[in-house]
Amino acid sequence: MGVVTPQLAAFDAPLALRSGASLPAFELVYETYGTLNAARSNAILVCHALNASHHVAGVHAGQR
């Protein structure tokens, strides 16, 4: 994977949860790897939330 750079998406609207509660404005940190093809059909979402880290593969700049 090599060096990856975390990216940030900020959402201003509340997110309604299945429980009936909602999260106020929130930020989502994610990483992308490789290149999306012309058909945009090679995307894979890896959701492993619950550990407080967005990191899946590769290394961050400054790490070994």
Side-chain angles (χ1 to χ4, degrees):
M1 286 293 135
V3 175
V4 294
T5 302
Q7 300 178 58
L8 178 74
F11 298 88
D12 294 330
L15 175 65
L17 303 177
R18 189 174 188 180
S19 67
S22 67
L23 294 175
F26 62 98
E27 296 177 338
L28 178 68
V29 178
Y30 63 97
E31 295 173 347
T32 58
Y33 310 91
T35 304
L36 197 57
N37 64 21
R40 302 174 69 97
S41 62
N42 64 334
I44 299 172
L45 173 65
V46 177
C47 184
H48 67 101
L50 307 180
N51 71 353
S53 175
H54 61 277
H55 191 62
V56 176
V59 295
H60 293 136
Q63 289 182 330
R64 290 184 180 237

